[in-house]
Amino acid sequence: MTAAAPSCTVEFRVRYAETDQMGIVYHANYLPWCEIGRTELIRRLWKSYAQVEREDGVLLAVTDVALRYHAAARYDDLIRVTTTLEGVRSRAVAFTYLVERVNDGGIDRLVSARTGLTAIDRHGALRTLPPELLAAFRNPVPELG
Amino acid sequence: MTAAAPSCTVEFRVRYAETDQMGIVYHANYLPWCEIGRTELIRRLWKSYAQVEREDGVLLAVTDVALRYHAAARYDDLIRVTTTLEGVRSRAVAFTYLVERVNDGGIDRLVSARTGLTAIDRHGALRTLPPELLAAFRNPVPELG
Amino acid sequence: MTAAAPSCTVEFRVRYAETDQMGIVYHANYLPWCEIGRTELIRRLWKSYAQVEREDGVLLAVTDVALRYHAAARYDDLIRVTTTLEGVRSRAVAFTYLVERVNDGGIDRLVSARTGLTAIDRHGALRTLPPELLAAFRNPVPELG
Amino acid sequence: MTAAAPSCTVEFRVRYAETDQMGIVYHANYLPWCEIGRTELIRRLWKSYAQVEREDGVLLAVTDVALRYHAAARYDDLIRVTTTLEGVRSRAVAFTYLVERVNDGGIDRLVSARTGLTAIDRHGALRTLPPELLAAFRNPVPELG
């Protein structure tokens, strides 16, 4: 039996500050949403990413991103971000994201994304991921149903 | 003889607001820099993108982006963005970007990026690019040397 | 008996994108938090501000802001924004805000703020507030305890 | 004879990312412009603020801001920020700002602002301003006309 890839969802509303004069969310503003998604995933798998930086001295630096925009988010939309672990190595990790709008009648797909990250220390030198985080990515303890 | 692809460079300094607690520029903040680059290219080829939206009723919506981060920009760095037309069709256009830091002694490559855009009207319906813009992309008048 | 001024609280976590290289939340980023607070207050008193813009054609433009910073918010802090109606006239409304950090052991005061807003239409001309919103500001229906 | 207060101007264009769905610059986005203004003033009076942080270990933390919005900036407007030293003490400094739009035919006043800042070290403890900066604020060397 193969374990499902670790995944989690977060929901929040679009802020006015995130729109632009096109009347939709400015395209760069989906990246902070992806960051919210992956930090929640790390929190559920181990502990908060703030603690990882502070206690373990490991920072996850973004090495590459790709986003595909299917439909536009608008102010006050209820947004759902589903983050899924794509893969992990000792020094690097990649996540995929599905950004959706939750409507009364259903769900609209807005953006699909992928980010690659690498582990560094405070001085920018390459590091390995903390062993506990690597283990949590590889063998996530399933939540009770 | 093949004409070179239209290209232009812009320079500006990193703002404090663009950094994050890692001490470097937050990864999403390179996308507005790419936007500065392509709007300057459009301005030089035809007229300001603000006029395109206002006078022609055509908006360029981002459909996909990809960024690769080679080195980090820091506060007050002098940044140079080189934007190059990758290709154009009647309804869509793509640009590539090279983001560099200008140092006393040389140039550091920071980020390479690509964005695809599609032409829409104010209601989000697909449009064709204004003919003058399409022509300018395809047959740019070379600047005098 | 004097009715209490309408007020509401919202809570959320600090995003990584909101920090700067000082390791704290960049000072401008408290203003979108105030916006979240007042839009939630409007939602509870009447309907979503998105609907006010769309259905009533009334926009609330910020005319003045003042913020006082007492302590710094940090990444991943749990933030509570308490928004209170300060006063309302037919064309203008003012809110005060208290931004706090919710800790395990208590509450830290971070920022106190005030914003004044004026009602305009889509073309920027002065308007009066929608009568229902004016009434809701002046005579809020108390929530059941 | 009284010396004029140190002052400087910077000019740049409004970015698309700085607009919101009202079609104007989002009100929080004037604060990074003020930051650009005061860092240029510090650069001209002494050295870059980046160097002040790095070489002197002194950070200027914002303690209070006030902005008054007279007219709205729009995408691609040419913006001029005039920053003037309001006053300085050993541990604190205040600046005022005038944000204007430069048109073909003249100048529009957009926003007037004031920020207070206090000197701290990397750990947030109060510090005094570097003596050279304090001196430069108090006895600016006039530029040759």
Side-chain angles (χ1 to χ4, degrees):
Chain A
M1 198 190 89
T2 308
S7 177
C8 81
T9 65
V10 293
E11 290 188 3
F12 49 85
R13 285 193 181 278
V14 174
R15 302 175 175 187
Y16 205 91
E18 292 170 330
T19 64
D20 66 21
Q21 73 178 41
M22 218 178 273
I24 59 178
V25 168
Y26 184 72
H27 63 285
N29 293 336
Y30 294 88
L31 280 170
W33 298 357
C34 293
E35 177 133 45
I36 293 171
R38 68 178 172 267
T39 57
E40 279 308 310
L41 182 55
I42 292 171
R43 190 196 309 276
R44 291 183 200 188
L45 289 175
W46 185 29
K47 62 185 181 185
S48 80
Y49 174 68
Q51 286 176 287
V52 179
E53 282 202 353
R54 197 167 54 236
E55 300 171 0
D56 300 81
V58 172
L59 291 68
L60 294 175
V62 178
T63 54
D64 56 278
V65 306
L67 297 97
R68 187 164 290 273
Y69 303 84
H70 312 291
R74 291 174 187 280
Y75 168 58
D76 207 45
D77 281 352
L78 183 58
I79 298 298
R80 175 186 296 168
V81 179
T82 302
T83 306
T84 304
L85 179 69
E86 187 192 79
V88 63
R89 295 196 317 274
S90 62
R91 295 169 180 278
V93 58
F95 302 96
T96 59
Y97 311 87
L98 177 60
V99 180
E100 298 168 305
R101 172 172 39 224
V102 181
N103 291 316
D104 287 348
I107 300 285
D108 296 327
R109 186 181 63 152
L110 302 182
V111 170
S112 44
R114 181 191 179 281
T115 63
L117 299 100
T118 194
I120 58 170
D121 66 17
R122 290 188 195 294
H123 309 290
L126 287 178
R127 283 280 308 267
T128 53
L129 288 169
E132 301 91 333
L133 184 57
L134 195 56
F137 280 145
R138 287 180 167 157
N139 298 294
V141 177
E143 291 189 54
L144 291 177
Chain B
M1 197 190 89
T2 307
S7 176
C8 82
T9 65
V10 292
E11 291 188 4
F12 49 85
R13 285 194 181 276
V14 174
R15 302 174 176 187
Y16 206 90
E18 293 171 329
T19 63
D20 66 20
Q21 71 177 43
M22 218 177 273
I24 59 178
V25 168
Y26 184 72
H27 62 285
N29 293 337
Y30 293 88
L31 281 169
W33 297 357
C34 293
E35 178 133 45
I36 292 171
R38 68 177 171 267
T39 58
E40 278 308 310
L41 182 55
I42 292 171
R43 189 196 311 275
R44 290 182 199 189
L45 289 175
W46 186 28
K47 62 184 180 185
S48 81
Y49 174 68
Q51 285 175 287
V52 178
E53 281 202 353
R54 198 167 53 236
E55 298 171 1
D56 301 82
V58 172
L59 290 69
L60 294 174
V62 178
T63 55
D64 57 276
V65 306
L67 296 97
R68 187 164 290 272
Y69 302 85
H70 312 291
R74 292 175 186 280
Y75 169 58
D76 207 47
D77 280 353
L78 183 59
I79 299 297
R80 174 186 296 169
V81 179
T82 302
T83 306
T84 304
L85 179 69
E86 187 192 79
V88 65
R89 295 197 315 274
S90 62
R91 294 169 181 278
V93 59
F95 301 96
T96 58
Y97 310 88
L98 178 60
V99 181
E100 297 169 305
R101 172 174 38 226
V102 181
N103 292 316
D104 286 348
I107 300 286
D108 296 326
R109 186 181 64 150
L110 302 182
V111 170
S112 45
R114 183 193 177 277
T115 64
L117 299 100
T118 193
I120 59 171
D121 67 16
R122 289 188 195 294
H123 309 290
L126 288 177
R127 284 278 310 266
T128 52
L129 288 168
E132 299 92 334
L133 185 56
L134 195 55
F137 281 145
R138 286 180 167 158
N139 298 294
V141 176
E143 291 189 57
L144 292 176
Chain C
M1 197 188 88
T2 307
S7 177
C8 82
T9 66
V10 292
E11 291 188 2
F12 49 84
R13 285 192 182 278
V14 174
R15 301 174 176 187
Y16 205 91
E18 293 171 330
T19 63
D20 66 20
Q21 71 177 41
M22 218 179 273
I24 59 178
V25 168
Y26 185 71
H27 62 285
N29 293 337
Y30 293 88
L31 281 170
W33 297 357
C34 293
E35 178 134 45
I36 293 171
R38 68 177 173 268
T39 58
E40 279 307 311
L41 182 56
I42 292 171
R43 190 196 311 274
R44 291 182 199 188
L45 289 175
W46 186 29
K47 62 184 181 186
S48 79
Y49 174 68
Q51 287 176 285
V52 178
E53 282 202 355
R54 197 167 53 234
E55 300 171 0
D56 301 82
V58 172
L59 290 69
L60 294 175
V62 177
T63 54
D64 57 276
V65 306
L67 295 97
R68 187 165 290 273
Y69 303 84
H70 311 293
R74 291 173 186 280
Y75 168 58
D76 206 47
D77 281 353
L78 182 59
I79 299 296
R80 176 186 294 167
V81 178
T82 303
T83 306
T84 304
L85 178 70
E86 188 192 79
V88 63
R89 294 196 317 273
S90 62
R91 293 169 181 277
V93 58
F95 301 96
T96 58
Y97 310 87
L98 178 61
V99 179
E100 297 168 304
R101 173 172 40 225
V102 181
N103 292 314
D104 287 347
I107 300 286
D108 296 327
R109 187 180 64 150
L110 302 182
V111 170
S112 44
R114 181 191 180 280
T115 64
L117 299 101
T118 193
I120 58 171
D121 66 18
R122 291 189 193 293
H123 309 289
L126 287 178
R127 283 280 308 268
T128 52
L129 288 168
E132 300 90 335
L133 184 56
L134 195 57
F137 280 144
R138 286 179 167 158
N139 299 294
V141 176
E143 292 190 55
L144 291 177
Chain D
M1 197 190 88
T2 306
S7 177
C8 81
T9 66
V10 293
E11 290 188 3
F12 50 84
R13 286 194 181 276
V14 174
R15 301 175 175 186
Y16 206 91
E18 293 172 329
T19 63
D20 66 22
Q21 70 177 43
M22 217 177 274
I24 58 178
V25 169
Y26 185 72
H27 63 284
N29 293 338
Y30 293 88
L31 281 169
W33 297 357
C34 292
E35 177 133 45
I36 292 170
R38 68 177 171 268
T39 57
E40 278 307 311
L41 182 55
I42 292 171
R43 190 195 311 274
R44 291 183 200 187
L45 289 174
W46 186 30
K47 62 184 181 186
S48 80
Y49 173 68
Q51 286 176 286
V52 178
E53 282 202 354
R54 197 167 53 235
E55 299 171 1
D56 302 82
V58 172
L59 291 67
L60 294 175
V62 178
T63 54
D64 57 277
V65 306
L67 296 96
R68 186 164 292 272
Y69 303 85
H70 311 292
R74 292 175 186 280
Y75 168 57
D76 206 45
D77 281 353
L78 183 58
I79 299 298
R80 175 186 297 168
V81 178
T82 304
T83 306
T84 305
L85 178 70
E86 188 191 79
V88 63
R89 296 196 314 275
S90 62
R91 293 169 182 276
V93 59
F95 302 96
T96 58
Y97 310 88
L98 178 60
V99 180
E100 297 169 304
R101 173 173 40 226
V102 181
N103 292 315
D104 288 346
I107 300 286
D108 296 326
R109 186 182 64 150
L110 302 182
V111 169
S112 44
R114 181 192 180 279
T115 64
L117 298 101
T118 193
I120 59 171
D121 66 18
R122 291 189 195 293
H123 308 290
L126 288 178
R127 283 278 310 266
T128 52
L129 289 168
E132 300 91 333
L133 184 56
L134 194 57
F137 281 144
R138 285 180 168 157
N139 298 295
V141 176
E143 290 189 56
L144 291 177

